[in-house]
């Protein structure tokens, strides 16, 4: 993955596998996006505004569209039927090291406990590794986020000794630990 070039992503990007259909968001998804993101757990672990209403959803989709157009990444709705969004997975160039592809994810409160995040992370990791060829595929997770750490472990990511990534989430600074995808059969990166 060339750190200087936009991410070479087909448009639209659609991924299928593990019983999921990942697709890009559309304006028709605003009500579903509000239902997914207007949630205390999403508010706790992400920089998404809270409460998350229709205006916030419009702004979020507009920012996702700008990121897509600029070649910096893509936001994909997690669906099982190609229509109803149950969560989201993001694929973007890491701000820490632009040679790395970073993923982020969230699942709506009504859809948790079904393995959706695990399947989506596995699917997007496979895509990124095969088609983007980054130096690494990484996740950046707060240490207290046990659910996200469980997804990381179950999808072949291992905690690195990288310095914590510092980011601003709303009114607080957070330290995120970096998890790196372990190549199958190699034992380490």
């Amino acid at each position: 993955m060339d750190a200087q070039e936009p991410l070479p992503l087909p448009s639209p990007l659609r991924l299928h596998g593990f019983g999921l259909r990942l697709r890009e968001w559309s304006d028709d998804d605003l009500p579903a996006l509000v239902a997914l993101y207007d949630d205390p757990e999403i508010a706790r672990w992400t920089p998404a505004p809270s409460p998350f209403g229709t205006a916030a959803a419009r702004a979020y989709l507009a920012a996702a569209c700008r990121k897509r157009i600029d070649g910096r990444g893509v936001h994909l709705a997690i669906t099982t039927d190609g229509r109803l969004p149950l969560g989201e997975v993001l694929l973007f160039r890491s701000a820490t090291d632009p040679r790395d592809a970073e993923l982020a994810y969230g699942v709506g409160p009504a859809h948790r406990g079904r393995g959706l995040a695990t399947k989506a992370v596995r699917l997007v990791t496979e895509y990124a590794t095969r088609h983007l060829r980054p130096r690494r595929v990484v996740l950046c997770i707060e240490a207290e986020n046990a659910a996200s750490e469980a997804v990381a472990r179950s999808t072949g990511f291992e905690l690195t000794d990288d310095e914590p990534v510092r980011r601003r989430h709303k009114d607080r600074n957070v330290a995120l630990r970096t998890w790196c995808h372990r190549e199958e059969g190699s034992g380490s990166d």
Side-chain angles (χ1 to χ4, degrees):
M1 186 165 82
D2 185 340
Q4 306 305 322
E5 296 293 322
L7 290 176
L9 299 169
S11 184
L13 179 59
R14 293 186 179 105
L15 302 177
H16 306 277
F18 307 111
L20 297 182
R21 293 173 178 254
L22 306 182
R23 62 167 177 81
E24 295 185 49
W25 292 92
S26 75
D27 289 338
D28 293 339
D29 294 321
L30 283 173
L33 187 59
V34 171
L36 297 173
Y37 273 73
D38 193 30
D39 169 64
E41 284 300 299
I42 296 289
R44 179 177 179 190
W45 303 116
T46 75
S50 180
F52 193 90
T54 303
R58 276 194 190 97
Y60 184 85
L61 287 183
C65 184
R66 281 191 303 275
K67 183 189 287 184
R68 179 68 158 109
I69 289 168
D70 293 344
R72 293 180 290 125
V74 64
H75 294 233
L76 299 170
I78 300 170
T79 80
T80 56
D81 62 4
R83 293 185 305 274
L84 178 65
L86 310 174
E88 176 179 50
V89 60
L90 289 67
L91 167 62
F92 54 98
R93 188 180 305 281
S94 172
T96 305
D97 187 324
R99 298 172 297 169
D100 293 342
E102 186 173 334
L103 307 182
Y105 46 88
V107 173
H111 312 292
R112 294 185 186 132
R114 297 172 44 191
L116 296 170
T118 298
K119 293 172 187 175
V121 167
R122 186 171 287 132
L123 186 58
V124 176
T125 298
E126 287 180 4
Y127 175 83
T129 301
R130 185 173 297 123
H131 298 284
L132 302 181
R133 304 185 57 82
R135 178 181 73 122
R136 304 183 303 176
V137 177
V138 299
L139 304 171
C140 294
I141 303 171
E142 280 189 74
E144 297 79 21
N145 191 339
S148 282
E149 288 192 345
V151 169
R153 281 187 196 92
S154 70
T155 54
F157 284 78
E158 295 177 337
L159 188 59
T160 70
D161 59 1
D162 293 8
E163 288 293 317
V165 175
R166 308 279 179 202
R167 292 195 181 141
R168 183 94 177 141
H169 282 193
K170 299 177 194 81
D171 60 350
R172 66 187 182 101
N173 292 315
V174 297
L176 306 173
R177 300 190 310 172
T178 300
W179 293 72
C180 180
H181 189 257
R182 179 184 68 245
E183 294 294 327
E184 294 298 319
S186 71
S188 66
D189 263 332

